[in-house]
Amino acid sequence: MRAKLIAGNWKMNLGKADSLTLAHDLIHKIPKHSKAQVLLIPTFLHLDAVAHVVAKSHLLLGAQDVYFEKTGAFTGEISAGMLLELGVSHVLIGHSERRHVLHETDAVLNKKLLAATAEKLVAIYCIGETLQERDAGKTAEVLQHQLKAGLVHLSHDVIEKGHLVIAYEPVWAIGTGHTATPEHAQETHAFIRARLSEILTPELAAAIRIQYGGSVKKSNAAELLAKPDVDGLLVGGASLIADEFAAIVQAAG
Ligand code: 13P
């Protein structure tokens, strides 16, 4: 019932030529009828070029961020409408690197989430605790807060349409090689779904896809995806290698 979503977040990696080559390779290596939805998330700068490669293919296109205003004097920012114009269907909001490196606040992320979903983009709202928070036993508190603050005023209609995805990315697992165990991921995803059920309704919570992210590789993808509340993967480093990412998609069936 919850179609798996496998996303490759290319972050600030790959020049234009390498981005185009990777997109071309993935179109050929990922079977057309794979059960999972597959999403490529290049840098803003190469979205247009990658959009031309994946247009009419079975691969979807996402952006790494979005600004909450529609238009105006916001130097350096990009609106949801501009992304739509390029063929973008999904957008990451609140990735840990934006929360912790660029200091985006929950209030700003909430505005971004509302703006993106108002334009009918699928928002992938990222949450996750730092190592320090985990060691202090604060994981539950942090996740609950990020969910509550991020989803303020989000309409149920948006969720019914499938336009909200949650990505659980423990910060201690990102780019470190320390993947959460499948058991840890399942336990945390079940916790997130239970909180969503309280914040929204049990029916809406049951429909929301929850991705796991943090050092996902082809060697651990299948065991993570086998867990009932793991509805997809958000992949960083391993998504830059065509064979590795195609194997991760294959693990989703
Ligand atoms: P890695 O897969 O490189 O750990 O990155 C995860 C991530 O941040 C995806 O958004």
Side-chain angles (χ1 to χ4, degrees):
M1 46 154 194
R2 294 190 297 261
K4 299 234 189 301
L5 177 62
I6 310 294
N9 176 9
W10 298 356
K11 307 193 181 183
M12 198 177 73
N13 292 302
L14 306 181
K16 185 171 175 184
D18 287 340
S19 298
L20 295 181
T21 303
L22 181 56
H24 270 293
D25 287 352
L26 290 172
I27 287 176
H28 296 296
K29 287 177 193 280
I30 294 172
K32 275 205 177 64
H33 302 295
S34 90
K35 270 197 236 145
Q37 292 182 330
V38 182
L39 177 64
L40 310 185
I41 315 179
T43 113
F44 280 136
L45 202 57
H46 303 135
L47 272 174
D48 197 20
V50 174
H52 282 93
V53 175
V54 301
K56 301 198 178 79
S57 81
H58 51 306
L59 306 185
L60 300 165
L61 188 65
Q64 298 178 14
D65 187 29
V66 64
Y67 195 57
F68 52 80
E69 296 288 358
K70 282 186 197 300
T71 178
F74 304 103
T75 303
E77 295 300 331
I78 289 169
S79 71
M82 290 169 173
L83 294 176
L84 275 181
E85 211 181 359
L86 296 184
V88 167
S89 55
H90 292 61
V91 63
L92 297 180
I93 292 175
H95 189 280
S96 76
E97 287 141 23
R98 300 216 60 93
R99 286 180 188 270
H100 300 294
V101 183
L102 294 152
H103 307 293
E104 293 194 359
T105 63
D106 288 316
V108 163
L109 298 178
N110 175 246
K111 285 189 187 181
K112 290 186 171 191
L113 206 117
L114 297 178
T117 52
E119 296 286 352
K120 311 219 169 10
L121 288 170
V122 177
I124 303 179
Y125 180 55
C126 306
I127 60 172
E129 79 285 4
T130 62
L131 183 59
Q132 211 181 10
E133 288 162 344
R134 179 191 165 187
D135 288 348
K138 290 189 173 160
T139 299
E141 189 187 320
V142 168
L143 298 181
Q144 175 148 349
H145 176 77
Q146 291 174 336
L147 284 173
K148 267 197 172 161
L151 304 187
V152 175
H153 302 313
L154 188 67
S155 83
H156 286 196
D157 185 49
V158 159
I159 299 167
E160 277 160 12
K161 291 196 174 109
H163 289 184
L164 174 69
V165 174
I166 303 290
Y168 170 55
E169 295 205 306
V171 182
W172 46 266
I174 296 178
T176 59
H178 300 301
T179 321
T181 62
E183 292 68 32
H184 176 88
Q186 169 55 29
E187 194 183 317
T188 313
H189 284 215
F191 170 83
I192 291 168
R193 204 177 298 287
R195 297 294 76 72
L196 289 172
S197 177
E198 287 165 3
I199 298 169
L200 303 163
T201 67
E203 292 72 25
L204 290 175
I208 294 174
R209 290 178 290 175
I210 306 175
Q211 293 180 301
Y212 168 79
S215 297
V216 172
K217 320 180 251 296
K218 67 177 177 191
S219 57
N220 57 26
E223 56 184 17
L224 286 160
L225 288 166
K227 294 296 178 190
D229 284 296
V230 176
D231 307 314
L233 301 168
L234 181 51
V235 188
S239 74
L240 302 174
I241 306 158
D243 284 328
E244 180 86 17
F245 189 61
I248 291 170
V249 172
Q250 202 182 355

